[in-house]
């Protein structure tokens, strides 16, 4: 059985397809050339993880080149010794930019806004506007994200 999810980003299409071997396959018109030799940014993710999807959609929407490193939580990929060296808490997402690893989706998003060439509306340079973005980012994990995830458990 194949299940598809269609997400619209700007004027691009982003498709996530569930395939029969219980693994996720991401297909997108936004795919950037993925050559490990050309990309220093790596994203370790599980597509079932909302924070992983947030980081991936941000990277794709802003056309930031990155290499995908799927960590399948269901199969325990995050328990490996290798992944534990990247994140001792063994959670996704994780990025490695060159030789700099970073965990936690909000920290990753802030870092990407500061280090990559993205438009100012994502994370404004003005400190008061930035504080309003920070206010939401700090709050969303315990309200928006929690309530949205439990919605599906109750249906």
């Amino acid at each position: 059985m194949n299940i598809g999810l269609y997400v619209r980003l700007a004027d691009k299409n982003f498709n996530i397809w569930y395939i029969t071997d219980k693994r996720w396959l991401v297909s997108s018109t936004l795919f950037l050339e993925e050559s490990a030799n050309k990309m220093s940014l790596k994203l370790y993710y599980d597509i079932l993880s909302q924070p992983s999807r947030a980081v991936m959609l941000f990277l794709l929407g802003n056309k930031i080149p990155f290499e995908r490193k799927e960590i399948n939580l269901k199969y325990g990929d995050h328990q490996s010794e290798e992944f534990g060296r990247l994140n001792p808490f063994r959670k996704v997402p994780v990025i490695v930019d060159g030789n700099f690893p970073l965990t936690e989706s909000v920290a990753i998003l802030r870092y990407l806004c500061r280090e990559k060439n993205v438009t100012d509306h994502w994370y404004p340079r003005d400190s008061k506007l930035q504080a309003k973005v920070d206010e939401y980012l700090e709050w969303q994990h315990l309200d928006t994200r929690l309530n949205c995830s439990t919605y599906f458990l109750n249906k």
Side-chain angles (χ1 to χ4, degrees), residues 4-113:
L5 171 67
Y6 173 82
V7 179
R8 187 123 170 110
L9 280 176
D11 292 325
K12 305 291 182 183
N13 297 325
F14 179 70
N15 301 294
I16 302 171
W17 296 102
Y18 187 76
I19 58 176
T20 55
D21 72 347
K22 309 259 190 270
R23 296 252 180 192
W24 285 89
L25 172 69
V26 178
S27 64
S28 169
T29 57
L30 288 176
F31 266 129
L32 304 170
E33 182 183 331
E34 288 194 356
S35 164
N37 298 338
K38 294 183 180 180
M39 285 184 262
S40 66
L41 183 66
K42 294 176 177 66
L43 171 64
Y44 295 79
Y45 71 97
D46 184 318
I47 205 68
L48 292 177
S49 157
Q50 181 277 326
S52 289
R53 288 192 309 273
V55 172
M56 180 178 280
L57 289 171
F58 183 83
L59 289 165
L60 291 168
N62 286 285
K63 299 179 181 161
I64 299 170
F66 68 101
E67 182 180 347
R68 291 167 181 80
K69 299 285 192 176
E70 184 179 6
I71 301 296
N72 194 308
L73 299 176
K74 182 178 179 181
Y75 295 129
D77 295 353
H78 61 300
Q79 298 299 336
S80 74
E81 197 173 308
E82 178 185 353
F83 187 73
R85 284 191 292 275
L86 292 175
N87 186 352
F89 298 113
R90 292 176 159 68
K91 295 186 181 250
V92 291
V94 174
I95 64 165
V96 178
D97 192 9
N99 62 359
F100 174 67
L102 187 61
T103 66
E104 295 300 322
S105 61
V106 171
I108 291 168
L109 292 169
R110 287 179 180 138
Y111 170 82
L112 292 171
C113 286

Side-chain angles (χ1 to χ4, degrees), residues 134-145:
D134 288 338
E135 181 178 54
Y136 177 76
L137 290 173
E138 300 301 330
W139 170 80
Q140 61 89 21
H141 274 301
L142 294 175
D143 194 58
T144 305
R145 182 173 167 228

